[in-house]
Amino acid sequence: MKRELNIYLLICTILLIQISVQAQSVPGLSDYLAMAASGNPGLKAKYTRFEMAIEKVAQSNGLPDPTLSFGYFVQPIETRVGPQQAKLSLTQMFPWFGTLKANTQRDSLLAQSRYQEFLEAKYQLYYEVKSAYYPIYELHQTIRLHEENIKILENFKQISTVKYKNGIGSMVDVIRVDILLENAQTEIEVLKSQKYPLEVRFNRLLNRDDSDVVYIPGDIKVTPIEEILRDSTVLRNPMLHAYDLQIESSKAERMIAKKQGNPMIGVGVDYVFVGNSESQIQNSGRDAWMPMVSMTLPIYRKKYKSAVREAELKEKALQLEQHNYENTLMSNYELTQYTLETAVEKLASYERQIKNSEMAIKILMASYSNSGKDFEEVLRMQQELLRYQKAQVVAIKDYHIALARLKYLTGNPFP
């Protein structure tokens, strides 16, 4: 007996381990979000642009390339110490003081703004994945409700058939149930035909094959959430932060434009190749060195003034775009908050209507069992119950999509 008990416990343990492994292997929504973040080509492109901006920063503080020139005298110029045969020059130009620092500041701010744009794209991708995920959940749940409704109708058909055979009910009751059963079967077929395009849309966001299976949980609850403050929309939205960084970058660009109107200083050296002289002068034939200092003359001021004005207009345009984006963000926030609250109210209403409908069906069925009458009212209430259940599923979908959008707008994609 003890050996049989041990064997039984071993089998149960193996089954529990298998169930646990299977449960862990089924991906959830958070797993799909991670897949999208690592596989979506659009998001990868945004991150690549950020990496490009980082490389730009490394280039911004470099000096201009030095200039090396070589000249050869076709007719050597005779001097007391010998004929000048060729000349080699090397010059390094230096931008005006603070120009390189301003370049680095501008490009560093732009790189930071590119990262904020990447975050915004990632949060938007999360919202799109959720927006594609919950309609599939709605479809699965609606099909399940219709299948449960078919089982109930088949039970009603058996009861009405027995009533008809016993001379209590009417054949019309059986026909009515048949009509509803056929409609339910047709509805299920139509719903199943919608499954593939919804899954294709979802899999494309994850950069997966169109035929990959999308796992949907049997039920998704609506849990109370803490109020998402309106002010957090401004504080946490990455695009608003990106605009701040771009405005600061345009200020640095204006500083660069001003400094470019100043001279560039050049330091260099000339090396002159001198041939041997026929005279016996001391140092005859000795090559000559000549240190040099040069300076650019930015006398064409119009282009420099225009560059400064361009930077000022760019800064103004960015400020206006940021203000417009903030207005749009706030209006979307209010609309989404309204949608979320409406979904919560609908769910509470549907929950009450479902309970009342189930109670009414029980009372009507008890009456029908005794008298064989009012079967049409039973069927009507059953279809009314189905309508409330389907509306409840739609409200759950709307709630979660609105919540996902609210988190996207506030820069808070995770719970």
Side-chain angles (χ1 to χ4, degrees), residues 79 96 105 115 142 157 166-167 175 194 238 247 373 377 391:
T79 65
W96 193 256
Q105 183 182 12
Y115 182 73
T142 305
K157 182 178 179 179
N166 293 334
I175 296 174
Q194 299 173 11
I247 290 170
K373 297 179 181 179
E377 186 64 17

Side-chain angles (χ1 to χ4, degrees), residues 146-158:
H146 277 288
E147 290 173 345
E148 291 178 356
N149 182 55
I150 286 176
K151 293 178 182 179
I152 294 172
L153 291 176
E154 287 175 345
N155 184 42
F156 285 173
K157 182 178 179 179
Q158 292 177 0

Side-chain angles (χ1 to χ4, degrees), residues 120 123-124 127 228-240 325 328-337 402-413:
E120 196 276 339
Y123 297 163
Q124 183 177 10
Y127 167 65
I228 300 177
L229 298 179
R230 187 173 182 268
D231 293 341
S232 66
T233 306
V234 179
L235 296 175
R236 302 184 63 173
N237 186 274
M239 272 308 297
L240 288 177
Y325 184 84
T328 304
L329 196 64
M330 290 304 180
S331 62
N332 288 337
Y333 173 89
E334 295 296 341
L335 181 61
T336 306
Q337 184 71 34
L403 180 60
R405 182 167 177 78
L406 202 62
K407 291 180 177 180
Y408 158 60
L409 293 174
T410 56
N412 181 27

Side-chain angles (χ1 to χ4, degrees), residues 24 28 39 172 245 251 256 324 362 378:
Q24 292 176 0
V172 176
L245 293 167
K251 292 178 180 178
I256 293 170
N324 181 67
K362 289 180 181 179
V378 174

Side-chain angles (χ1 to χ4, degrees), residues 29 101 115 193 231 253:
L29 179 57
K101 181 180 179 181
Y115 182 73
S193 66
D231 293 341
E253 191 170 342

